[in-house]
Amino acid sequence: MTRISFIQFRSILAIVVLASFLISCTTQATSRYWGQTKAPTEQVMRYVSGSEPESLDPQVPTGQPEARVLMAFYDGLVEYHPKTMDPIPAIAESWEPSPDGTEYTFHLRKNAKFSNGEPITAKDFVYTFRRALSPELAAQNAYLSYYIKYAEAYNSGKSFVRDTSGKFLLVKDLEEKKQTPEAEKSATPTIEPNNPVENPAKTEKIQADSNKPSVVETEFHKMINEPERVTVPGDEKSRTALLEKNPKLKAALEGKELVPVKGEDIGVEAVDDYTFRMKLIQPAPFFIGLLGHQFFRVVHGATVEKFGKDWTRPQNIVTSGAFKLSVHKPYDEIIAVKDPNYWDAANVRLERIEFYPLEEQTTMMNLYKAGAVDATYNHTVPAGWKSNVKQYENEYLNFAEVSIEYYTIAVNKPPMNNVKIRNAFSQAVNREALATFRKNALNPLIDFTPEGAFPKYEEIRKRVYDELLKKDGMTREQWQSQAFNPKRACEIFEEQGYKVREKREDGRCVLETDPSVKGAFPVAEVEILYNTSESNKSVAEFIQAQWKQNLGLTLPLKNQEWKTFLKVRKEVDYKGFGRAGWVGDYIDPFTFLNLFYGKTNDSSTGWHKPEYDKMLDDANKELDPDKRYEMLARAEYFLMKDQPVIPFLTQETNWIKKPYIKGFYPNPGTLHPWKFVYIEQDPNKWDTQVKNIMKNQDPWVEEQISRLMKTQEDFQKSRQAQETNTAKTE
Amino acid sequence: MTENTQPIQGTSLWKDAWKRLLKNKLAVFGLIVLGIMVIAVLIGPAIIRWTTGFTADYIPSDVGIGELVASFPPSWQHPMGTDEAGRDLLARVLQGGRISLMVGIISTIVSLIVGVSYGAIAGYMGGKIDNVMMRFVDILYAIPYILIVIVLLSVFGGPNTPDWIKWLAELFGGAGNAGLSQIFLLFFALGLVSWLTMARVVRGQILSLKNQEFVLAARATGVSTLGIIFRHLVPNALGPVIVYATLTVPSVMLSEAFLSFLGLGVQAPYASWGSLAADGIKNIAIYPWQLIFPGVTMALTLFSLNFVGDGLRDALDPQTRKF
Amino acid sequence: MLSFIIRRLLLVIPMALLVVTVTWTLVRLAPGSFYSGEKTLPPAIEANIKKKYGLDKHWLEQYGLMMLNIIRLDFGDSLKYPDRNVNQIIRDHFPYSATVGILAYLLALALGLTAGIVAALKQNSAFDYGSMTFAMLGLSVPNFVLGPILVSVFSLTLYMFPPARFGGFMSLVLPVITLSAIYMAYIARLTRAGMLEVMRSDYIRTARAKGLSEKTVLLKHGLRGGIIPVVSFTGPALASLLAGTVVVEKVFAIPGLGNIFIQSVLNRDEPLILGIVAFLSILIMLFNLAVDISYGFLDPRIRYE
């Protein structure tokens, strides 16, 4: 027996030795770089891009992992600036808005080519936009382009109404006839509340201006600039349902013919081979920024038509970007090689990009450490590794993102239907401690737009808030103290009639939860819902502990698988709080505030206020960007005072790259225009102290950007000169 | 049926077996460890709470900036250290043991009762009955488990939980709150699959035993079918059955960790050994104690269980005496 | 025997269809759909998608069309990955999981059987305890722990093997070891138990009494009966191994079928789920048939009426 127990002992000893060996070899990392760091001798970059792309067709997939890969393969009218993500010229050398901001003219460069050598013209863009919106493609991203005139009508299979004389029924006709506020609503069944009705007066103004020499007049241009036509659902059933509800419209339709909206009717036009024109339903200042999205990047029509859904196979695919597809092994690798046909190929330095579609964070970290990948996508350094990886100041990139973490509140169920109670819960979370716990370096968040993403907006918002707070008898400090003020939170509960069982010296309290006592807080009616993930779990546990310690409330945590969770949260089928995060689609605060717009909004809270909708509508009609920001800030204040959500943090990029990868920046969307990326062999020129990477200027990248920007700047200058000239002559 | 399963020799076999088991030092060691473990998980959390004030879900974020919210190595205050949220790992391991042990026990029982009887009946009856019974097992194998879990959760786990599930949960645990019905579902889900392979193993054994002389003798003397199965065949297949049963426990504990991750089973902030180990491995390079303590506790328990299983197997072997 | 095999083979098809039907029902019961995401799609876009994939038809018609396609062995295109065909996905990714799975099972079989037989013959010896302790270790260290530990020692400290990604023999070493550990433990322990049981049975005593050499007794008679538990276990184990193992595929970034399957369920990618389930259920049934046939060879007393 003694011998046996010795064997047992030996194997246990082996584990201990192995474990201590592991500890000793992993924690003493004192070298300058993390793991194997050797610049490849060729211009080859290996990048972890996130989950397997749903498709290599730019109009189909919706996610970020796809966006990162597709940016290499497809070029659009504009490209993102590698640092700020502002639009910079790509296939469009320059562009100009019409005076009312609803029409954009793009001047395309003449040397742009597809990977098969064929030229890229305005017709290809027209094809791409029409295809993207076709109901047959059923693209999930189609809503992104609903700002284009008749785009939504075409995408949803609607019809125009034409009388026997060939005249179309116009929105205006219905309005003038009725003269009631209701009419506008009923007469524009196609327009989502999201997209305010265009002001007819303005449209007429353009027509007056359109005799300026720069505007080329075409049949299509005349049609698209006519007052808006009425559209009704093409599908019999929903049309009947609509007409039942709207007898006036029904009367107007009497004896008229329905003409389905076709792809040819949407507001995009090839004026000539190198001039592309786009008509919007409203001025959308951020829309140009959105055009860098893969959804708007150009595809080769003949290939798409010839191969159908197989056109993205490596043997069939024709691309338009700086790189072309060489190998695609799903879930394993996607290899992009430099395309010599690309119009700017002379200035593309990477010869090859290897995308690895991985999701397992530990695996990526291992590959990175072993020197088998050069960079990862955002949110990839696991929480437990952060304190260690943070030491590598030449590699770890942590910057503000256009993305926030917050909890939604089911605002229609008691006790959370009380705005004061919602606010009290918000004040009882120590956001600073949460940030420490999450190793997040940004300021605690009490607003709904992320910190640092929209500097200009933040500046204006500060001013607006000061004014509004004064009106409400509050100081800025008081407003900001909401980031953590357990004392006030307890007071609010008491004011609202809840019984406080115990008050502590530091201001925290224990609320009565025994349902048999009068004034007890109904803990059974509130829970914390989150979807399965390590980080969501730890945040939920932390928040739960906060409310337990500061208010004496133990709320149950509830964890659900993603799709189940989505359904429950969306239908506000939960009680209490739901985890949420929101990533901006474009660099404008509207991408956040829009979440609460409309009756069936995406906020998953059940919150809806018509006043708020009106505030956003008005803001978007405003052409002056500063004034618009001011109006948006008022809307945000209105929203946050009602506290349908509890914001916690601005997300951080949290990823790593090897120091020899240059021209690669932690921009707010973690979307990298690959043509600015290169590998630096000389260790003296490697990136150091990457916390300054956004301020540091890489001479080559800056030169590239200013070269590309030049066409647009020159164009704007010449336009200004022209205008001053005409002004003088007048 | 329970009466039938009593071995022919009456109590003397079990008495003998128990005596022999006690002679096996490793088995005794295993029994002692298991006993200590059960007592520890039952009363441990209360003791820790009483002496130090820590509970499995206590996050020390009282202090303004939260400098205590971090993973600390073992100390006198926290004998197993803390996790990243600053929670006492010992308290979490003990609390997690409740779930893990419970899961192990339940699925072993299901696998022993359902799996053994099912496999034995199928194997002995043979022919069409065997065919139908085993095809049913094949189908259960093939239906994606995770899909069943998702559907179970959405139908019974949400606010729309039917009353009869709440009633069942109440029957099993007193109060029909959400957490409890989740645990109940977990046991159901694990029970659903834990017996499948056991049934196949037992059937394989019975197929090979059923034509042996002692069975023919029993049949000739007019012993009933159930009598033959449970008094003659099953005891002779007990070796692989006990070994397989002890093998089921670790794999079930790990399935539990996976299911808990999906949202079924133990709800945060509480954990199980499997989920603690899964959390720990992510931070092995920086906070090794987060893996080592739950891992070693779990391994120690499984080892002990196995010693007891082996001891039991030897002790129940009708022919051990000859060796 | 032949008619038994044919009868069983004929059963495979209706059973696979039954499994597919149950799975289809479960998919329909599960909340959410392949296109549900953080953003709610405008109703028009949702309608377009439903129309495109025939989800606007009556459920009975959808079921009929699905079954018709399956009988033609065409599972259609994945919904989540619309440019990929389900048959193609299975064909592309099955080889990865099969390679790793078969190698792991062979390794487990070689080591597990040897350890189990020797341990049984030398019951209560140092080797017995040593190998069984080792086997227990393989069992009580979960593969999500073993994998990362192997990687940090052999890939990140000693730089002997690549830490992840499929490519060449060297990249297979760590995943195969990780995957085989638990099976090795199962096989070793089941073999030992089975052998102990058999070596005491009457027919072995008879064989010994006939004066056969110990080697013949062991290999010709003992082993055949002794590994029956292992054989019973092999059917389902091998089928699930071939279909891929999520943890190992994730840790080592192997593009196998296991992870794709789990993802397809989480994505509610109906054609892909059904395709893999049908494939997997046929595998399981064929393996179990093979197991039932091999019982007859291993133990001549097992007969099928």
Side-chain angles (χ1 to χ4, degrees), chain A residues 3-4 7-8 11 22 25 36 52-56 60 135-140 143 146 155-156 309 312-313 330-333 356 358 360 363 366 370 561-564 566-567 569-570 582 585 602, chain C residues 31-42 44-45 48-49 52 77 80-84 93 96 126 129-130 133 137 149 151-153 156-157 159 163-165 250-251 253 255 260 266-268:
Chain A
R3 205 182 47 185
I4 294 152
I7 295 167
Q8 305 287 330
S11 41
L22 275 170
C25 66
Q36 305 273 78
E52 167 69 20
E54 290 169 11
S55 169
L56 292 184
V60 171
E136 292 76 39
L137 187 71
Q140 293 185 40
Y143 70 92
Y146 280 4
N155 188 239
S156 13
K309 71 178 180 60
T312 53
R313 296 274 154 81
Y331 300 96
D332 193 21
E333 61 185 6
Y356 302 147
L358 304 178
E360 192 68 13
T363 308
N366 290 341
E561 171 262 352
W562 174 235
K563 298 257 173 183
T564 312
L566 276 180
K567 185 163 185 278
R569 199 189 62 185
K570 204 158 273 176
W582 191 255
D585 281 331
D602 239 348
Chain C
S33 52
F34 74 95
Y35 55 82
S36 56
E38 188 89 56
K39 294 188 175 87
T40 315
L41 292 177
I45 295 181
N48 285 342
I49 292 171
K52 180 171 178 180
D77 294 333
K80 176 86 175 168
Y81 304 99
D83 14 346
R84 304 193 67 210
H93 298 283
Y96 290 106
Y129 284 104
T133 307
L137 207 63
I149 287 182
V151 168
S152 54
V153 175
L156 300 180
T157 312
Y159 295 107
R165 304 197 69 241
K250 276 195 147 174
V251 170
I260 292 178
L266 297 179
N267 290 336
R268 311 286 192 269

Side-chain angles (χ1 to χ4, degrees), chain A residues 94-303:
Chain A
S94 58
W95 57 86
E96 58 181 329
S98 64
D100 70 341
T102 63
E103 191 173 82
Y104 282 87
T105 308
F106 295 86
H107 303 281
L108 310 191
R109 62 184 75 244
K110 302 201 165 58
N111 57 346
K113 285 196 197 95
F114 285 108
S115 60
N116 63 358
E118 287 176 27
I120 299 174
T121 65
K123 292 196 184 74
D124 294 303
F125 277 98
V126 169
Y127 173 82
T128 302
F129 277 65
R130 286 180 184 161
R131 163 177 195 260
L133 279 161
S134 69
E136 292 76 39
L137 187 71
Q140 293 185 40
N141 269 334
Y143 70 92
L144 287 177
S145 60
Y146 280 4
Y147 291 102
I148 297 174
K149 197 165 180 183
Y150 300 131
E152 192 193 355
Y154 172 50
N155 188 239
S156 13
K158 293 192 172 167
S159 302
F160 294 131
V161 183
R162 191 168 60 186
D163 63 17
T164 40
S165 66
K167 226 179 119 242
F168 286 95
L169 182 64
L170 302 180
V171 172
K172 206 168 60 173
D173 301 342
L174 287 173
E175 263 170 34
E176 281 164 5
K177 247 183 250 169
K178 304 297 179 268
Q179 297 290 334
T180 56
E182 227 178 303
E184 185 189 14
K185 223 167 109 204
S186 55
T188 57
T190 63
I191 311 263
E192 285 284 287
N194 225 338
N195 311 323
V197 191
E198 178 195 7
N199 184 347
K202 253 178 203 155
T203 323
E204 273 151 31
K205 200 174 132 226
I206 322 176
Q207 285 183 321
D209 287 350
S210 64
N211 48 8
K212 271 175 71 179
S214 62
V215 179
V216 182
E217 201 49 78
T218 60
E219 274 303 300
F220 178 82
H221 190 243
K222 256 188 234 145
M223 182 286 271
I224 204 76
N225 274 309
E226 275 163 15
E228 179 160 0
R229 296 172 183 174
V230 168
T231 54
V232 292
D235 156 48
E236 182 93 45
K237 224 164 96 192
S238 34
R239 187 173 59 236
T240 325
L242 177 80
L243 295 183
E244 283 304 303
K245 271 190 276 175
N246 191 340
K248 289 159 196 165
L249 184 63
K250 195 176 178 182
L253 248 62
E254 209 64 45
K256 286 184 185 134
E257 173 193 17
L258 294 179
V259 185
V261 181
K262 292 191 297 293
E264 289 75 34
D265 297 324
I266 65 172
V268 291
E269 180 192 11
V271 179
D272 58 49
D273 272 0
Y274 299 103
T275 312
F276 177 73
R277 204 153 48 186
M278 196 158 71
K279 175 76 186 171
L280 307 181
I281 52 168
Q282 69 178 77
F286 46 84
F287 194 64
I288 294 285
L290 200 56
L291 289 176
H293 195 286
Q294 80 257 19
F295 185 71
F296 299 105
R297 296 192 177 215
V298 68
V299 295
H300 186 251
T303 308

Side-chain angles (χ1 to χ4, degrees), chain A residues 475-538:
Chain A
T475 64
R476 179 146 203 93
E477 286 66 41
Q478 277 174 327
W479 175 260
Q480 264 161 351
S481 75
Q482 291 185 66
F484 182 48
N485 193 349
K487 190 157 178 280
R488 180 74 198 116
C490 287
E491 284 166 17
I492 295 175
F493 275 106
E494 230 173 353
E495 285 163 22
Q496 297 301 312
Y498 290 106
K499 190 167 176 246
V500 172
R501 200 169 56 200
E502 187 190 326
K503 265 189 201 157
R504 305 223 187 115
E505 281 167 28
D506 51 8
R508 295 180 296 138
C509 59
V510 177
L511 288 167
E512 181 60 60
T513 53
D514 182 353
S516 59
V517 181
K518 198 173 163 279
F521 187 84
V523 264
E525 295 311 313
V526 186
E527 55 189 24
I528 303 172
L529 178 77
Y530 66 99
N531 63 301
T532 302
S533 117
E534 202 49 54
S535 63
N536 294 344
K537 184 178 97 179
S538 59

Side-chain angles (χ1 to χ4, degrees), chain A residues 50 227 367 397 428 497 505 611 694:
Chain A
L367 283 166
L397 294 149
E505 281 167 28
E611 302 100 289
M694 296 301 246

Side-chain angles (χ1 to χ4, degrees), chain B residues 18 21-22 26-36 304 307-308:
Chain B
W18 179 244
L21 188 68
L22 288 186
L26 272 179
V28 172
F29 167 77
L31 273 179
I32 293 173
V33 172
L34 284 183
I36 293 175
S304 309
F307 293 149
V308 177

Side-chain angles (χ1 to χ4, degrees), chain A residues 340-358:
Chain A
N341 279 322
Y342 182 59
W343 59 271
D344 203 14
N347 295 305
V348 176
R349 287 176 73 173
L350 281 181
E351 288 295 330
R352 195 166 80 228
I353 312 170
E354 299 186 2
F355 294 104
Y356 302 147
L358 304 178

